[in-house]
Amino acid sequence: MGSLQNQNVVVVGGSRGVGRSIAEAALKEKAAVLAVARGKQALAQFAWEVSGVKTLAVDATVDSAPDKVFAALEPDVLVICAGALAPSAPVHEQNWKAFSANWDTDVKASFLFCRAALRRPLKPGTRIVLISSGAALTGGPPNAGGYAGAKRMQMFLAGHSQKEAHRLGLGLRFMALAPMRIMPETGVGKAGVDSIAAYMGIQPADFIAAMTDMQTPADVGRAVVALATGQPQGSSFMVSGSGLAPAA
């Protein structure tokens, strides 16, 4: 495994939760880190609590977002962790706006930044990591609308982008990483636990107690560092309490 020392790491969706853990893991590796998010308050809180992190308030789903981010810091490692809360209702009770929330946020941000990385292009050797979800492999809960499909699309997008980078001789490395278990210590994870538990008619604590092989946000951060500094084969990976592995 190599090092991120003196490398530029950009984490889109990096102000809190898993994204913040990824940014903190990169900081520990002595990288120059830019955390990007929509919320100025969360970014300011991060910068106040952790010295050395740079921040930029940008909506990652706006077409101009990649140009603004790359102008602030040209990445050696680009992590796309931005995402919407999954819907929380049986499929027949959702409208299309609710059902497609993760397509309009998670997938759109991933598409815009992958497209920009290929078009610009980013410098050879740049690694791009899309944060997916274990739901992409399991199908997720039945009350989460288009969430699982959106997270699966991120895996497809990493693979498609890698083929294009190879075809064009760009020397870029695209990967997707799926944390396999919901993480209740994050805001998104807590909302997910509460939603699924309510749908199942059980207490959130009972739902959490039934889960095994759980990873933490810090585990995800370490997995991203491992992908960014190693030479893994393939384009889709998963991380659980058992560690980092190729996705099935």
PDB file of all heavy atoms in Angstrom, residues 8-27:
ATOM      1  N   ASN A   8      -3.675  15.422  -3.264  1.00  0.00           N
ATOM      2  CA  ASN A   8      -4.922  16.164  -3.093  1.00  0.00           C
ATOM      3  C   ASN A   8      -6.107  15.203  -3.095  1.00  0.00           C
ATOM      4  O   ASN A   8      -6.289  14.457  -4.053  1.00  0.00           O
ATOM      5  CB  ASN A   8      -5.115  17.183  -4.216  1.00  0.00           C
ATOM      6  CG  ASN A   8      -4.050  18.260  -4.212  1.00  0.00           C
ATOM      7  OD1 ASN A   8      -3.418  18.531  -3.195  1.00  0.00           O
ATOM      8  ND2 ASN A   8      -3.844  18.885  -5.363  1.00  0.00           N
ATOM      9  N   VAL A   9      -6.889  15.239  -2.031  1.00  0.00           N
ATOM     10  CA  VAL A   9      -8.068  14.389  -1.906  1.00  0.00           C
ATOM     11  C   VAL A   9      -9.300  15.279  -1.796  1.00  0.00           C
ATOM     12  O   VAL A   9      -9.374  16.134  -0.907  1.00  0.00           O
ATOM     13  CB  VAL A   9      -7.976  13.460  -0.688  1.00  0.00           C
ATOM     14  CG1 VAL A   9      -9.267  12.643  -0.525  1.00  0.00           C
ATOM     15  CG2 VAL A   9      -6.772  12.527  -0.820  1.00  0.00           C
ATOM     16  N   VAL A  10     -10.238  15.099  -2.699  1.00  0.00           N
ATOM     17  CA  VAL A  10     -11.488  15.845  -2.691  1.00  0.00           C
ATOM     18  C   VAL A  10     -12.615  14.887  -2.341  1.00  0.00           C
ATOM     19  O   VAL A  10     -12.767  13.842  -2.987  1.00  0.00           O
ATOM     20  CB  VAL A  10     -11.761  16.504  -4.058  1.00  0.00           C
ATOM     21  CG1 VAL A  10     -13.141  17.155  -4.071  1.00  0.00           C
ATOM     22  CG2 VAL A  10     -10.674  17.522  -4.388  1.00  0.00           C
ATOM     23  N   VAL A  11     -13.393  15.225  -1.327  1.00  0.00           N
ATOM     24  CA  VAL A  11     -14.518  14.397  -0.911  1.00  0.00           C
ATOM     25  C   VAL A  11     -15.797  15.202  -1.110  1.00  0.00           C
ATOM     26  O   VAL A  11     -16.056  16.166  -0.383  1.00  0.00           O
ATOM     27  CB  VAL A  11     -14.399  13.946   0.555  1.00  0.00           C
ATOM     28  CG1 VAL A  11     -15.559  12.998   0.915  1.00  0.00           C
ATOM     29  CG2 VAL A  11     -13.060  13.259   0.802  1.00  0.00           C
ATOM     30  N   VAL A  12     -16.581  14.821  -2.084  1.00  0.00           N
ATOM     31  CA  VAL A  12     -17.859  15.472  -2.359  1.00  0.00           C
ATOM     32  C   VAL A  12     -18.922  14.802  -1.496  1.00  0.00           C
ATOM     33  O   VAL A  12     -19.133  13.598  -1.585  1.00  0.00           O
ATOM     34  CB  VAL A  12     -18.221  15.371  -3.853  1.00  0.00           C
ATOM     35  CG1 VAL A  12     -19.565  16.042  -4.116  1.00  0.00           C
ATOM     36  CG2 VAL A  12     -17.123  16.010  -4.712  1.00  0.00           C
ATOM     37  N   GLY A  13     -19.583  15.600  -0.656  1.00  0.00           N
ATOM     38  CA  GLY A  13     -20.431  15.054   0.392  1.00  0.00           C
ATOM     39  C   GLY A  13     -19.606  14.776   1.630  1.00  0.00           C
ATOM     40  O   GLY A  13     -19.861  13.824   2.369  1.00  0.00           O
ATOM     41  N   GLY A  14     -18.602  15.615   1.872  1.00  0.00           N
ATOM     42  CA  GLY A  14     -17.607  15.336   2.896  1.00  0.00           C
ATOM     43  C   GLY A  14     -17.772  16.078   4.200  1.00  0.00           C
ATOM     44  O   GLY A  14     -16.850  16.089   5.013  1.00  0.00           O
ATOM     45  N   SER A  15     -18.932  16.694   4.454  1.00  0.00           N
ATOM     46  CA  SER A  15     -19.061  17.520   5.652  1.00  0.00           C
ATOM     47  C   SER A  15     -19.474  16.742   6.893  1.00  0.00           C
ATOM     48  O   SER A  15     -19.251  17.191   8.013  1.00  0.00           O
ATOM     49  CB  SER A  15     -20.074  18.646   5.410  1.00  0.00           C
ATOM     50  OG  SER A  15     -21.368  18.113   5.175  1.00  0.00           O
ATOM     51  N   ARG A  16     -20.082  15.567   6.709  1.00  0.00           N
ATOM     52  CA  ARG A  16     -20.551  14.794   7.860  1.00  0.00           C
ATOM     53  C   ARG A  16     -20.724  13.338   7.479  1.00  0.00           C
ATOM     54  O   ARG A  16     -20.576  12.948   6.324  1.00  0.00           O
ATOM     55  CB  ARG A  16     -21.871  15.358   8.373  1.00  0.00           C
ATOM     56  CG  ARG A  16     -22.952  15.514   7.345  1.00  0.00           C
ATOM     57  CD  ARG A  16     -24.130  16.286   7.886  1.00  0.00           C
ATOM     58  NE  ARG A  16     -25.132  16.544   6.855  1.00  0.00           N
ATOM     59  CZ  ARG A  16     -26.208  17.307   7.055  1.00  0.00           C
ATOM     60  NH1 ARG A  16     -26.398  17.888   8.228  1.00  0.00           N
ATOM     61  NH2 ARG A  16     -27.075  17.488   6.074  1.00  0.00           N
ATOM     62  N   GLY A  17     -21.019  12.513   8.492  1.00  0.00           N
ATOM     63  CA  GLY A  17     -21.274  11.099   8.249  1.00  0.00           C
ATOM     64  C   GLY A  17     -20.097  10.383   7.625  1.00  0.00           C
ATOM     65  O   GLY A  17     -18.934  10.620   7.959  1.00  0.00           O
ATOM     66  N   VAL A  18     -20.404   9.495   6.686  1.00  0.00           N
ATOM     67  CA  VAL A  18     -19.372   8.698   6.031  1.00  0.00           C
ATOM     68  C   VAL A  18     -18.395   9.585   5.266  1.00  0.00           C
ATOM     69  O   VAL A  18     -17.180   9.349   5.299  1.00  0.00           O
ATOM     70  CB  VAL A  18     -20.025   7.665   5.089  1.00  0.00           C
ATOM     71  CG1 VAL A  18     -18.971   6.968   4.237  1.00  0.00           C
ATOM     72  CG2 VAL A  18     -20.802   6.630   5.897  1.00  0.00           C
ATOM     73  N   GLY A  19     -18.892  10.597   4.587  1.00  0.00           N
ATOM     74  CA  GLY A  19     -18.004  11.481   3.845  1.00  0.00           C
ATOM     75  C   GLY A  19     -16.978  12.156   4.733  1.00  0.00           C
ATOM     76  O   GLY A  19     -15.804  12.254   4.383  1.00  0.00           O
ATOM     77  N   ARG A  20     -17.421  12.593   5.898  1.00  0.00           N
ATOM     78  CA  ARG A  20     -16.482  13.218   6.827  1.00  0.00           C
ATOM     79  C   ARG A  20     -15.451  12.199   7.304  1.00  0.00           C
ATOM     80  O   ARG A  20     -14.262  12.538   7.438  1.00  0.00           O
ATOM     81  CB  ARG A  20     -17.239  13.823   8.011  1.00  0.00           C
ATOM     82  CG  ARG A  20     -16.314  14.347   9.089  1.00  0.00           C
ATOM     83  CD  ARG A  20     -17.005  15.242  10.068  1.00  0.00           C
ATOM     84  NE  ARG A  20     -16.161  15.492  11.228  1.00  0.00           N
ATOM     85  CZ  ARG A  20     -16.354  16.445  12.131  1.00  0.00           C
ATOM     86  NH1 ARG A  20     -17.383  17.267  12.009  1.00  0.00           N
ATOM     87  NH2 ARG A  20     -15.546  16.606  13.158  1.00  0.00           N
ATOM     88  N   SER A  21     -15.871  10.969   7.559  1.00  0.00           N
ATOM     89  CA  SER A  21     -14.920   9.940   7.990  1.00  0.00           C
ATOM     90  C   SER A  21     -13.880   9.663   6.919  1.00  0.00           C
ATOM     91  O   SER A  21     -12.705   9.421   7.225  1.00  0.00           O
ATOM     92  CB  SER A  21     -15.666   8.649   8.342  1.00  0.00           C
ATOM     93  OG  SER A  21     -16.411   8.819   9.527  1.00  0.00           O
ATOM     94  N   ILE A  22     -14.301   9.709   5.649  1.00  0.00           N
ATOM     95  CA  ILE A  22     -13.348   9.530   4.554  1.00  0.00           C
ATOM     96  C   ILE A  22     -12.359  10.687   4.519  1.00  0.00           C
ATOM     97  O   ILE A  22     -11.142  10.491   4.368  1.00  0.00           O
ATOM     98  CB  ILE A  22     -14.100   9.407   3.221  1.00  0.00           C
ATOM     99  CG1 ILE A  22     -14.931   8.120   3.189  1.00  0.00           C
ATOM    100  CG2 ILE A  22     -13.117   9.435   2.046  1.00  0.00           C
ATOM    101  CD1 ILE A  22     -15.929   8.061   2.048  1.00  0.00           C
ATOM    102  N   ALA A  23     -12.860  11.908   4.666  1.00  0.00           N
ATOM    103  CA  ALA A  23     -11.981  13.074   4.692  1.00  0.00           C
ATOM    104  C   ALA A  23     -10.994  12.994   5.853  1.00  0.00           C
ATOM    105  O   ALA A  23      -9.805  13.300   5.694  1.00  0.00           O
ATOM    106  CB  ALA A  23     -12.816  14.347   4.784  1.00  0.00           C
ATOM    107  N   GLU A  24     -11.466  12.580   7.022  1.00  0.00           N
ATOM    108  CA  GLU A  24     -10.588  12.465   8.188  1.00  0.00           C
ATOM    109  C   GLU A  24      -9.531  11.389   7.979  1.00  0.00           C
ATOM    110  O   GLU A  24      -8.369  11.552   8.382  1.00  0.00           O
ATOM    111  CB  GLU A  24     -11.421  12.169   9.435  1.00  0.00           C
ATOM    112  CG  GLU A  24     -12.267  13.363   9.884  1.00  0.00           C
ATOM    113  CD  GLU A  24     -13.184  13.030  11.039  1.00  0.00           C
ATOM    114  OE1 GLU A  24     -13.439  11.828  11.287  1.00  0.00           O
ATOM    115  OE2 GLU A  24     -13.659  13.976  11.707  1.00  0.00           O
ATOM    116  N   ALA A  25      -9.912  10.279   7.337  1.00  0.00           N
ATOM    117  CA  ALA A  25      -8.938   9.221   7.060  1.00  0.00           C
ATOM    118  C   ALA A  25      -7.847   9.724   6.127  1.00  0.00           C
ATOM    119  O   ALA A  25      -6.661   9.406   6.302  1.00  0.00           O
ATOM    120  CB  ALA A  25      -9.642   8.010   6.456  1.00  0.00           C
ATOM    121  N   ALA A  26      -8.227  10.527   5.126  1.00  0.00           N
ATOM    122  CA  ALA A  26      -7.234  11.089   4.210  1.00  0.00           C
ATOM    123  C   ALA A  26      -6.327  12.087   4.923  1.00  0.00           C
ATOM    124  O   ALA A  26      -5.115  12.137   4.669  1.00  0.00           O
ATOM    125  CB  ALA A  26      -7.935  11.753   3.035  1.00  0.00           C
ATOM    126  N   LEU A  27      -6.895  12.877   5.827  1.00  0.00           N
ATOM    127  CA  LEU A  27      -6.079  13.812   6.607  1.00  0.00           C
ATOM    128  C   LEU A  27      -5.037  13.074   7.444  1.00  0.00           C
ATOM    129  O   LEU A  27      -3.891  13.523   7.564  1.00  0.00           O
ATOM    130  CB  LEU A  27      -6.975  14.654   7.511  1.00  0.00           C
ATOM    131  CG  LEU A  27      -7.754  15.787   6.844  1.00  0.00           C
ATOM    132  CD1 LEU A  27      -8.817  16.327   7.782  1.00  0.00           C
ATOM    133  CD2 LEU A  27      -6.818  16.915   6.399  1.00  0.00           C
TER     134      LEU A  27
END
